């Protein structure tokens, strides 16, 4: 199977965890503390993947200046987009409670939330696709990190959508669409950069990593801390330990 198709399928598989999370939130009443705890764990997993896989690999193949530039560029781009979406009602899109805006609260917030969810998911899929370009197959720790973090994202956000009166058609349409977009992003990223110089791939990887890191701080950690409070750091650390162990065991 061509590498770009593999990238698309892996991106789709990871994105489908958003749909799984949405289904759990829609059909079951999961306690807020459980959702927040899983999200905190997912944050730790993503932190490990960023530190020991993505950024480290980008620096080794592309150099420190390009990596730093990419990280800063990705962070700035994400913040600018997130500020614009926040003004349109998508600021608390991962909230599982009443903090998430409904259409009655702000017209157009449904579209903004959908676009915001897409903004959160696409960089992860691009990174997953780029990890295949080395010819060694998908990076297991990165795939696990994205899949594990996607579950609580879909779960928490969908619980908030349901609480604020969004329909099942909207909820599953959003996450199904983003799962599909994740597959396309992985496929296109891999296809477009196949044969590109290592420095270029490293720069794109760093940009995506910067966006992911900023997304974690802006949307995931606040929602996790809102319920887990003093336990957030401990749960996050356990997620980091699990992902770090997986990374070393599969390297």
């Amino acid at each position: 199977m061509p590498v770009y198709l593999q990238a698309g399928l892996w991106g789709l598989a990871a994105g489908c965890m958003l749909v799984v999370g949405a289904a759990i939130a829609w059909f079951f009443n999961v306690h807020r503390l459980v959702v927040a705890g899983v999200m905190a764990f997912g944050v730790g997993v993503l932190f490990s993947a960023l530190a020991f896989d993505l950024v480290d690999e980008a620096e080794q193949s592309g150099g420190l200046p390009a990596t730093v530039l990419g990280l800063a560029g990705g962070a700035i781009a994400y913040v600018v987009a997130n500020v614009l979406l926040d003004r349109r009602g998508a600021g608390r899109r991962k909230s599982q409670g009443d903090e998430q805006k409904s259409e009655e609260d702000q017209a157009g917030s449904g579209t903004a939330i959908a676009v915001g969810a897409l903004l959160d998911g696409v960089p992860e899929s691009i990174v997953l696709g780029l990890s295949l370009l080395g010819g060694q197959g998908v990076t297991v720790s990165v795939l696990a990190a994205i899949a594990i973090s996607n579950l609580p994202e879909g779960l928490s956000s969908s619980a908030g959508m349901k609480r604020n009166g969004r329909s099942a058609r909207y909820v599953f349409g959003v996450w199904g669409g983003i799962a599909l977009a994740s597959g396309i992003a992985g496929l296109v990223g891999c296809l477009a950069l196949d044969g590109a110089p290592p420095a270029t791939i490293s720069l794109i990887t760093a940009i995506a990593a910067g966006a992911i890191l900023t997304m974690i701080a802006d949307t995931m950690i606040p929602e996790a801390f809102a319920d887990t409070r003093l336990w957030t750091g401990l749960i996050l650390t356990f997620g980091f330990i699990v992902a770090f162990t997986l990374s070393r065991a599969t390297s």
Side-chain angles (χ1 to χ4, degrees), residues 10-220:
W10 283 121
L12 178 63
C16 281
M17 292 301 291
L18 293 166
V19 182
V20 173
I24 293 173
W26 190 264
F27 294 108
F28 302 97
N29 185 23
V30 184
H31 195 280
R32 290 178 62 103
L33 187 59
V34 174
V35 178
V38 176
M39 184 169 288
F41 186 87
V43 169
V45 171
L46 273 179
F47 269 142
S48 177
L50 286 168
F52 295 104
D53 291 298
L54 301 179
V55 178
D56 182 59
E57 183 178 330
E59 190 278 329
Q60 288 184 21
S61 57
L64 183 60
T67 302
V68 171
L69 179 65
L71 285 169
I76 292 170
Y78 182 89
V79 167
V80 170
N82 204 36
V83 167
L84 294 175
L85 289 168
D86 180 66
R87 293 175 180 173
R88 287 162 174 77
R92 297 297 301 275
R93 57 186 175 272
K94 285 187 173 64
S95 172
Q96 57 181 313
D98 297 326
E99 301 88 351
Q100 191 181 119
K101 292 287 182 70
S102 67
E103 204 66 27
E104 289 73 23
D105 295 327
Q106 185 170 347
S109 60
T111 300
I113 289 171
V115 174
L118 183 64
L119 174 69
D120 297 339
V122 166
E124 298 173 345
S125 299
I126 292 174
V127 160
L128 193 57
L130 294 181
S131 72
L132 287 164
L133 291 177
Q136 299 178 344
V138 67
T139 304
V140 176
S141 55
V142 175
L143 175 62
I146 294 173
I148 291 172
S149 65
N150 277 350
L151 179 66
E153 284 187 60
L155 208 168
S156 179
S157 186
S158 297
M161 291 175 183
K162 183 179 180 181
R163 186 181 295 272
N164 283 283
R166 307 284 183 190
S167 67
R169 180 178 179 180
Y170 172 86
V171 172
F172 291 103
V174 165
W175 298 119
I178 292 172
L180 181 60
S182 296
I184 293 172
L187 184 152
V188 172
C190 186
L191 187 61
L193 293 170
D194 190 15
T200 301
I201 296 174
S202 296
L203 178 62
I204 301 300
T205 300
I207 291 173
I212 294 170
L213 184 60
T214 309
M215 180 271 291
I216 291 172
D218 285 357
T219 64
M220 292 186 72

